[in-house]
């Protein structure tokens, strides 16, 4: 990949660490606490209160749900009687390659629906190719491991024939998923390729693949919301789940903006 892509990867990791709502609010509390011992103690108290209130709002209020619902409702599921696809693209982001290697068994660390639905689709469409795309998102890659290796072990354990599987092992983010997988697979006009990823991640993923010249069919999975009116007013418990959901959904909205500004998607909020 080009130098610009390398810079984009590292900057996105670094900047998001500071911009994540939970990190930003915690930093305000820490800064405020330090100021309590200086002549700016009054401002420090305000920062502590502001940070604490922010954490409560992000953690208990349904803010994460409000952010997730538009993302997850953007792309509908394909019809049950859809035609058999040429292949099924499974985006990385699920497998924990470090734990898989340490414990000697494939371990799903996040977004399990991507993997379970991929296996279900593989059995439903026995002639479809299965393409998993995911390398290592480690900022300082020292382990030499990649997510595709852990995914291969899981697929084999679940009974998928190795000859059906194609692995893309170099990508570190969704943009590289699309570009490197297209170069590896070389899709032909008229082929039908399903794109399997989390529903909240689908708008950005779909826009990236379409911008890369690969007209895929969205197959959203791994939903975080239920699609009911009640969940929009109910508090999120435990608080740790609310903070995690708010962080991930805020990151996705920021990602949509950043990828659009960088010309990596074909729209600010891609639609079918």
């Amino acid at each position: 990949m080009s130098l610009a892509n390398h810079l984009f990867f590292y900057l996105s990791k670094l900047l998001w660490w500071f911009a994540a709502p939970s990190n930003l609010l915690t930093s305000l509390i820490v800064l405020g606490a330090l100021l309590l011992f200086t002549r700016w103690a009054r401002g420090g108290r305000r920062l502590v209160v502001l940070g604490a209130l922010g954490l409560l709002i992000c953690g208990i209020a349904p803010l994460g749900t409000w952010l997730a619902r538009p993302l997850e409702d953007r792309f509908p599921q394909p019809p049950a009687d859809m035609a058999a696809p040429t292949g099924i693209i499974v985006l990385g982001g699920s497998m924990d390659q470090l734990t898989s290697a340490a414990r000697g068994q494939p371990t799903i660390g996040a977004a399990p629906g991507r993997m379970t639905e991929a296996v279900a689709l593989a059995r439903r469409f026995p002639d479809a190719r299965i393409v998993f795309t995911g390398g290592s998102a480690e900022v300082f890659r020292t382990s030499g491991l990649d997510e595709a290796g852990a995914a291969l072990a899981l697929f084999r354990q679940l009974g998928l024939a190795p000859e059906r599987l194609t692995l893309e092992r170099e990508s570190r983010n969704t943009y590289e998923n699309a570009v490197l997988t297209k170069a590896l697979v070389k899709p032909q006009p008229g082929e039908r390729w399903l794109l399997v990823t989390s529903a909240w991640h689908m708008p950005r993923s779909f826009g990236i693949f379409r911008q890369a010249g690969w007209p895929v069919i969205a197959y959203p999975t791994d939903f975080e919301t239920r699609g009911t009116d009640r969940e929009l007013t109910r508090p999120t418990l435990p608080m740790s789940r609310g903070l995690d959901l708010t962080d991930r959904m805020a990151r996705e909205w920021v990602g949509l903006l950043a990828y659009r500004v960088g010309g990596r998607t074909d729209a600010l909020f891609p639609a079918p």
Side-chain angles (χ1 to χ4, degrees), residues 97 134-136 138 141 143-151 167 169-170:
Q97 67 265 29
S136 174
E138 297 175 69
R141 188 177 181 185
S143 67
L145 302 172
D146 56 54
E147 192 180 352
L167 304 177
R169 318 184 77 136
E170 300 299 325

Side-chain angles (χ1 to χ4, degrees), residues 1-9 172 175-176 180 264:
M1 301 298 289
S2 67
L3 177 60
N5 290 324
H6 287 297
L7 289 175
F8 185 88
F9 170 75
R172 299 167 298 176
Y175 173 75
E176 293 181 4
L180 296 178
R264 287 171 161 81

Side-chain angles (χ1 to χ4, degrees), residues 26-39:
T26 301
S27 298
L28 287 180
I29 294 174
V30 172
L31 177 59
L34 293 175
L35 291 177
L36 293 178
F37 302 97
T38 70
R39 59 178 177 170

Side-chain angles (χ1 to χ4, degrees), residues 85-187:
T86 305
I88 300 162
I89 309 161
V90 187
L91 293 193
S94 297
M95 302 303 299
D96 186 334
Q97 67 265 29
L98 298 178
T99 304
S100 297
R103 293 298 185 179
Q105 61 179 248
T107 302
I108 299 177
R114 302 185 192 186
M115 306 305 293
T116 56
E117 284 299 315
V119 174
L121 286 167
R123 292 175 175 171
R124 180 179 169 189
F125 302 110
D127 295 327
R129 293 175 59 187
I130 312 299
V131 180
F132 182 89
T133 170
S136 174
E138 297 175 69
V139 176
F140 302 105
R141 188 177 181 185
T142 58
S143 67
L145 302 172
D146 56 54
E147 192 180 352
L152 174 61
L154 178 66
F155 285 145
R156 283 177 168 171
Q157 284 191 9
L158 295 176
L160 295 191
E163 57 269 19
R164 293 184 64 187
L165 303 174
T166 299
L167 304 177
E168 185 286 302
R169 318 184 77 136
E170 300 299 325
S171 57
R172 299 167 298 176
N173 55 33
T174 312
Y175 173 75
E176 293 181 4
N177 286 153
V179 174
L180 296 178
T181 305
K182 183 184 178 185
L184 177 65
V185 173
K186 296 179 175 58

